[in-house]
Amino acid sequence: MDEPIVHDRVTVPFSGPGAGTAPLTWGQKSILQDMRNSDWTYNISGAHHLPEGLTVADVAERLGRLMGKHPALRTRFGTDDEGKPCQVVHGSGEIDLEVMTFADHLDRAAAVDHGNKLWLKWMAAPLAEHTPWSLRMGVMRHRGEAVYAVLTIGHLVADGVGALLLMTDLGLGELVGRPVDPDAVLLADLGRREAAPELRRVSDRAMRYWEGHLRALPPLTFGESGAPDYEAGRRCRNVRFSSPAAYLAVVEIARRTRTDTGRVLLAVIATAIARTTGVDPLTLHVAAGNRYRPGLADVIGTVVQNAVLTLDLDGTVDDVIAQARRATTAALMNSYYDPDRLAELAARLDAERGHPARITCRVNDRRFSTRTRADAVADAAPLTEDEIRSRLPETYLRWNKFVYRWTDQLFVNIEDHPDTVYLQVVSDTEVFSAEQVEEMLRAVEEVAVEAAFRPDVPTGARPRPAVSGSGPR
């Protein structure tokens, strides 16, 4: 082999049940709106070691079986007879498995390294440019064996949990061995079900809850920018922050307050935002998986939608934690709704208050395996303050070089990394300076460590004087 990597494709036929046309689901409408606003793919992408002994033919067989089993993967999107967006499930078709064969003189690690670079590249590449389906799969072949796979899934047909369930069917990922409900609702059937009166009433109840949080909003969460052509999220930067000390502190707070780590982290992050920006109270979006709802636990689809809650950040950190516990429960109970109705509500409220308003702060807890482990803290041995503070030197903060468009002024992702609070933060460059974002992230660690052993730590939220035509810089 003259070339170090030879690229090829294997065409995989498939067929399966469920062909037909259905309305978009509420989750699909939500993610489609975000994709249009941000001009971002929202692809779910990852790379995985394959079980030993597999050939490319074995992987192709698994891919064909996966496509046949799950109608969501055979779905394309168009418009119905009334011109409304819809999903169309196909009964059969073909998909390419992309094969990268590495020269025998290369080490197996070269194939793995290539796959690790490839999944990041594929995550940012629109699927439509490479495949007619909402799935793209590649396999790294080394010395005749399929050793590594890259899988990219369109967010319109699967959210994070849905992607994990699909990987389970391929024999990959952290859910291997977990039973999957064979009677879980199909994505197209869910779209039809959400058009029925019973679920329309669920959406109507949610709108009454949302109205209470939207009515008194300012135009943007963190104020206007001084830029004359300002558009929220027009230019954003990305930073990653990791703190083992904050992780231990959050676990200790959860143990002390008998609260799960998700609520504690939300409270700590909101407090850090208030300390840095002076915004109090803070109305924000949190991502709601909706999989606790009947029939949705194992659905292959995207059922994630925005939930809304408001936190009063005066008082103590423990006060905010107690609020977060109550507020997130109410928010999640009202996170299943028709986004078209929410758009109508927002337009009506904009007209009544005399100005358009948007929530431009979002916190997304993307943990899966690490969240489950961290929440099992009730019987954990208490830590000491010295044990927590001894980990402070391990904290790091790293800026990514690229700048791109996003829909929020501040978007905080809590990532699934073990034994650390790992945050990925996207911030609007027209509103937040790099120094202010770094101050906010350091405050997350500071708040957590301060509150680990003290129930009376004040939030430190101090409203800052508003300056006309500028954000909280």
Side-chain angles (χ1 to χ4, degrees):
M1 183 184 293
D2 297 328
E3 297 294 330
I5 308 175
V6 175
H7 296 259
D8 198 4
R9 291 174 178 264
V10 174
T11 299
V12 180
F14 58 81
S15 62
T21 300
L24 295 185
T25 68
W26 295 344
Q28 286 173 326
K29 289 180 183 180
S30 294
I31 197 67
L32 183 61
Q33 185 178 65
D34 281 345
M35 290 168 69
R36 288 171 173 168
N37 289 341
S38 65
D39 196 27
W40 180 246
T41 65
Y42 278 78
N43 291 339
I44 300 171
S45 193
H48 311 274
H49 289 278
L50 292 170
E52 290 191 16
L54 286 186
T55 65
V56 168
D58 294 329
V59 177
E61 190 275 333
R62 291 188 181 196
L63 174 59
R65 188 171 65 242
L66 188 79
M67 294 293 295
K69 179 179 178 180
H70 297 291
L73 297 178
R74 293 182 271 111
T75 298
R76 295 177 184 170
F77 298 92
T79 55
D80 61 19
D81 294 339
E82 297 178 358
K84 295 179 180 179
C86 69
Q87 52 184 316
V88 182
V89 180
H90 292 254
S92 62
E94 294 179 338
I95 187 170
D96 283 347
L97 173 64
E98 301 181 41
V99 182
M100 284 133 277
T101 302
F102 289 75
D104 287 350
H105 71 271
L106 294 176
D107 190 81
R108 180 188 179 110
V112 174
D113 289 344
H114 184 77
N116 286 335
K117 294 174 183 176
L118 200 61
W119 75 262
L120 284 168
K121 181 180 178 180
W122 284 13
M123 181 174 65
L127 283 168
E129 296 178 3
H130 303 276
T131 174
W133 307 105
S134 292
L135 173 70
R136 187 181 184 191
M137 189 172 181
V139 60
M140 319 296 121
R141 178 164 53 191
H142 182 255
R143 298 176 186 172
E145 184 179 346
V147 298
Y148 211 55
V150 174
L151 195 69
T152 301
I153 303 167
H155 212 333
L156 280 171
V157 301
D159 53 26
V161 175
L164 288 174
L165 293 171
L166 289 170
M167 286 189 289
T168 300
D169 269 358
L170 284 169
L172 306 174
E174 56 196 281
L175 293 184
V176 171
R178 173 191 181 277
V180 178
D181 181 5
D183 297 320
V185 63
L186 300 179
L187 189 59
D189 288 341
L190 181 60
R192 299 179 186 106
R193 184 182 299 181
E194 287 171 348
E198 181 180 356
L199 284 184
R200 307 301 302 179
R201 288 191 289 271
V202 171
S203 180
D204 291 343
R205 286 195 297 270
M207 289 305 95
R208 291 191 286 272
Y209 166 86
W210 275 77
E211 182 169 357
H213 291 268
L214 300 183
R215 182 170 291 280
L217 286 180
L220 296 167
T221 304
F222 298 106
E224 299 283 358
S225 166
D229 59 345
Y230 177 72
E231 177 186 351
R234 186 172 63 90
R235 288 176 53 85
C236 296
R237 58 167 66 91
N238 184 300
V239 63
R240 295 175 183 270
F241 175 80
S242 174
S243 173
Y247 169 80
L248 293 178
V250 165
V251 170
E252 184 60 24
I253 294 170
R255 188 197 64 79
R256 178 175 63 77
T257 61
R258 298 185 179 277
T259 306
D260 69 86
T261 59
R263 267 69 165 183
V264 172
L265 267 172
L266 176 63
V268 166
I269 291 168
T271 300
I273 292 171
R275 281 191 181 186
T276 310
T277 67
V279 173
D280 177 28
L282 176 65
T283 298
L284 70 159
H285 285 144
V286 295
N290 281 322
R291 288 182 175 270
Y292 69 90
R293 297 179 185 276
L296 300 188
D298 287 349
V299 64
I300 302 300
T302 180
V303 292
V304 174
Q305 293 188 252
N306 278 332
V308 63
L309 57 86
T310 301
L311 295 174
D312 183 345
L313 296 160
D314 197 9
T316 68
V317 176
D318 272 27
D319 291 336
V320 180
I321 292 170
Q323 276 189 73
R325 192 160 46 200
R326 296 189 300 268
T328 52
T329 299
L332 296 177
M333 290 295 293
N334 292 281
S335 62
Y336 190 45
Y337 55 87
D338 185 346
D340 292 342
R341 301 289 82 76
L342 181 59
E344 293 169 2
L345 171 63
R348 174 169 64 81
L349 292 177
D350 287 349
E352 291 177 4
R353 76 168 75 86
H355 67 262
R358 285 180 52 202
I359 300 168
T360 53
C361 180
R362 189 183 324 204
V363 177
N364 183 16
D365 192 342
R366 304 207 296 191
R367 296 173 302 154
F368 185 77
S369 59
T370 58
R371 180 172 190 167
T372 302
R373 185 173 65 175
D375 285 347
V377 298
D379 299 324
L383 298 167
T384 67
E385 187 168 358
D386 287 343
E387 287 176 309
I388 292 176
R389 292 189 177 277
S390 70
R391 306 295 297 276
L392 288 172
E394 300 174 46
T395 301
Y396 80 81
L397 185 150
R398 186 173 301 150
W399 286 96
N400 289 344
K401 294 180 181 179
F402 56 88
V403 177
Y404 57 95
R405 180 180 173 189
W406 205 257
T407 56
D408 297 297
Q409 293 175 309
L410 186 68
F411 187 4
V412 182
N413 276 313
I414 306 170
E415 303 287 4
D416 204 359
H417 287 239
D419 304 324
T420 186
V421 169
Y422 193 99
L423 306 178
Q424 179 183 188
V425 176
V426 182
S427 58
D428 192 323
T429 60
E430 298 290 350
V431 176
F432 292 98
S433 67
E435 293 76 15
Q436 189 173 18
V437 174
E438 292 191 16
E439 178 188 352
M440 189 183 302
L441 289 170
R442 301 292 181 186
V444 169
E445 181 179 76
E446 179 183 83
V447 169
V449 173
E450 285 178 1
F453 301 97
R454 292 175 50 199
D456 59 346
V457 172
T459 60
R462 294 287 185 271
R464 300 186 180 188
V467 178
S468 176
S470 67
R473 298 169 71 93

